[in-house]
């Protein structure tokens, strides 16, 4: 492998010890003996130079490749922006697969099912996650014409995907992750809803039920709804909508699975409906995609745009500058990426979706001294996301002028609305940033902190102790800091019940469990309002929460325009498909 030579005049990144461990284990290129052949600086330069070199294809580009590589390098090493993990791992290498998210179709035949298992294996090997809709498979027990036998049904076939994932993860860059989706009107829906009720079952899957508008209306009116046989479109049974909804809620209460996605809403925002319906999302739910579509993600670290000298504490010019560079970066990633299937290359080339999102939201709120669970935070969240949406679209427009619009632009909804042209069919997604946030040393996605200080288990049993830097600083400023206190906080996570601490500190430094479930959801909805794709967010509930509480959250998510919702009740038995550093 040819490793690019790092210029001698660029600065070495200053990287926190936790990030160093994560990068060493999985991200740095290794030689045949398993030892790294690059250091952290080498990794960031490899990525920056590979992504900037795509610029030469475009005659109209105003960027000199070397200058752009340096800009990308400093964007990443200052942790203002990071691309998704596969880009960090594979840019400028032989594998060259740079996207985190894929959706594959699963057709109703042995050939199609096993082709899909194979395609998923190739994607997992490269560090990507896959989403599938199993809704096209005929129900368990249905006739198979060619053999006269009976079909096994979606849940049974999911087990094959699960086992294949298990094996591939032994040799891949990271463990594979899957999303399995079934429409609520599929005849096997009840089996699907309960398919993860036993601990360890389908452990490489997150599952979600695709709810339709028709179904939600039947729940509201307390009516029955029809189940539809996928192979012929005919009615194949009826169920009482409220009973199905109650089962969904009960299973989510027990284990966190399944989640729900609102399929009609996702398709209402499908920018290219002429290419067909969106049936599934990527593993963590934030990226709805067409079959054979892939998307690369990247996230801006909001903690880095705090500016104590500006009126409202935010450096909007800097935010704009980062956004424009990040969109250019992600658009170049599409060209630099080598996909494992020609069909994926074609679909990605048609729509050129990118998903620019945010991380460090909780950190920014800490710096601004705004409580996460406040009206002020919701208003600011909307404002920040609206800005990112508008600037990412403006950047995509500039790229369209330089490089042309995405190939399917003329048949897209943007053309109908006469906005654009754009270079990318979508520009925004809020990803979980499980590993990226460790590398950047910031809070993940738009989530509140899980704990203000904690011991983190990372890979192979290693333990890391971490305290949130803004929390520590605030304690020192108010002379509340002590080692004993920090140890106490590490045990409890939250300071909600530490009455000796100043009130304003307790109000601002809240954790996921201090935030009321409805505020979790309101925050998700605030960001969703200005996000093309979807928002990764967990609604945390205390272990004492009832099924009724979950039902209310689901209903609120529907009414507030969310594209889906994931709940997690503290202490319930779920072992989710982790997308955090802990899964590595
Ligand atoms: P990262 O921080 O590593 O870039 P995220 O936690 O933001 O990743 O997850 C974004 C998406 O990346 C997920 O929705 C999923 O599609 C994919 N992904 C995350 N973790 C894994 C994994 N362990 N294996 C495969 N794909 C993954």
């Amino acid at each position: 492998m040819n490793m690019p030579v790092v210029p001698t005049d660029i600065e070495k990144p200053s990287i926190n010890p936790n990030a160093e461990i994560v990068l060493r284990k999985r991200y740095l290129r290794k030689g045949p003996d398993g030892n790294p052949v690059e250091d952290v600086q080498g990794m960031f330069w490899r990525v920056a130079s590979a992504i900037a070199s795509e610029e030469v294809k475009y005659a109209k580009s105003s960027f000199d490749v070397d200058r752009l590589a340096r800009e990308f390098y400093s964007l990443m090493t200052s942790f203002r922006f990071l691309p998704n993990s596969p880009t960090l791992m594979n840019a400028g290498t032989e594998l060259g697969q740079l996207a985190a998210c894929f959706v594959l179709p699963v057709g109703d035949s042995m050939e199609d099912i096993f082709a899909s298992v194979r395609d998923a294996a190739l994607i997992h090997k490269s560090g990507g996650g896959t989403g599938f809709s199993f809704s096209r498979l005929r129900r368990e027990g249905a006739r198979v014409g060619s053999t006269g036998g009976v079909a096994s049904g979606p849940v049974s076939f999911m087990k094959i995907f699960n086992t294949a994932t298990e094996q591939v993860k032994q040799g891949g860059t990271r463990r594979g992750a899957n999303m399995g989706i079934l429409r609520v009107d599929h005849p096997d829906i009840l089996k699907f809803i309960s398919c993860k009720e036993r601990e360890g079952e389908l452990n490489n899957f997150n599952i979600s039920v695709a709810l339709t508008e028709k179904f939600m209306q039947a729940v509201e009116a307390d009516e029955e709804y029809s189940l539809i046989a996928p192979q012929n479109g005919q009615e194949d049974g009826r169920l009482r909508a409220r009973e199905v909804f109650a089962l969904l809620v009960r299973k989510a209460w027990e284990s966190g699975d399944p989640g729900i996605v609102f399929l009609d809403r996702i398709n209402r925002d499908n920018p290219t409906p002429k290419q067909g319906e969106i049936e599934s999302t990527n593993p963590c739910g934030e990226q709805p995609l067409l079959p054979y579509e892939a998307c690369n993600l990247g996230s801006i670290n909001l903690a880095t745009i705090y500016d104590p000298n500006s009126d409202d504490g935010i450096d909007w010019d800097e935010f704009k500058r980062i956004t424009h560079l990040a969109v250019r970066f992600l658009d170049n990633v599409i060209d630099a990426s080598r996909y494992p299937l020609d069909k994926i290359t074609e679909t990605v080339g048609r729509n050129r979706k990118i998903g620019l999102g945010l991380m460090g939201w909780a950190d920014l709120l800490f710096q601004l001294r705004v409580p996460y669970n406040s009206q002020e935070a919701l208003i600011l969240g909307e404002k920040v996301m609206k800005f990112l949406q508008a600037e990412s679209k403006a950047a995509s427009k500039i790229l369209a002028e330089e490089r042309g619009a995405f190939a399917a632009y003329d048949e897209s909804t943007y053309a109908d609305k006469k906005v654009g042209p754009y270079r990318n069919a979508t520009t925004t997604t809020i990803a979980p940033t499980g590993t990226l946030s460790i590398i950047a040393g910031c809070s993940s996605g738009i989530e509140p902190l899980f704990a203000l200080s904690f011991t983190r288990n990372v890979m192979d049993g290693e333990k890391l102790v971490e305290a949130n830097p803004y929390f520590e600083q605030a304690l020192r400023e108010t002379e509340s800091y002590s080692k004993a206190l920090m140890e106490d906080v590490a045990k409890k996570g939250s300071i909600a019940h530490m009455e000796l601490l100043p009130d304003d500190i307790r109000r601002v430094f809240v954790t996921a469990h201090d935030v009321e479930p409805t505020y979790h959801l309101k925050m998700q909805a605030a960001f969703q309002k200005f996000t093309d794709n979807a928002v990764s967010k967990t609604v945390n509930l205390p272990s004492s929460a009832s099924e009724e509480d979950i039902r209310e959250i689901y209903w609120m998510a529907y009414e507030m325009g969310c594209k889906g919702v994931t709940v997690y009740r503290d202490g319930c038995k779920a072992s989710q498909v982790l997308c955090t550093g802990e899964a590595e």
Side-chain angles (χ1 to χ4, degrees), residues 291-340:
Y292 292 117
E293 204 168 24
C295 182
N296 63 302
L297 311 174
S299 299
I300 292 176
N301 177 2
L302 286 172
T304 66
I305 61 159
Y306 172 65
D307 176 6
N309 300 317
S310 80
D311 292 348
D312 59 1
I314 292 177
D315 186 343
W316 297 97
D317 290 340
E318 175 66 356
F319 191 13
K320 177 173 168 179
R321 183 189 75 86
I322 301 172
T323 305
H324 280 248
L325 260 179
V327 169
R328 182 173 289 273
F329 186 107
L330 295 177
D331 191 60
N332 285 10
V333 168
I334 299 173
D335 292 335
S337 187
R338 283 197 291 279
Y339 301 101

Side-chain angles (χ1 to χ4, degrees), residues 27 83-86 100-102 124 127-130 174-177 282-286 297 299 431-437 577-580 583-584:
Y27 291 66
N84 58 206
S85 291
C101 313
F102 293 78
H124 290 167
T130 42
R174 53 181 183 168
R175 58 175 286 183
N282 69 330
C284 304
E286 73 277 15
L297 311 174
S299 299
T433 70
T435 325
L436 295 191
S437 60
V577 178
L578 291 169
C579 293
T580 68
E584 299 296 312

Side-chain angles (χ1 to χ4, degrees), residues 84 90 180 191 245 254 266 280 316 326 345 362 417-418 557 578 581:
N84 58 206
N90 304 332
K191 257 179 233 117
F245 200 70
E254 282 170 9
I266 284 175
S280 182
W316 297 97
T345 311
K417 289 184 230 150
K418 301 209 165 31
L578 291 169

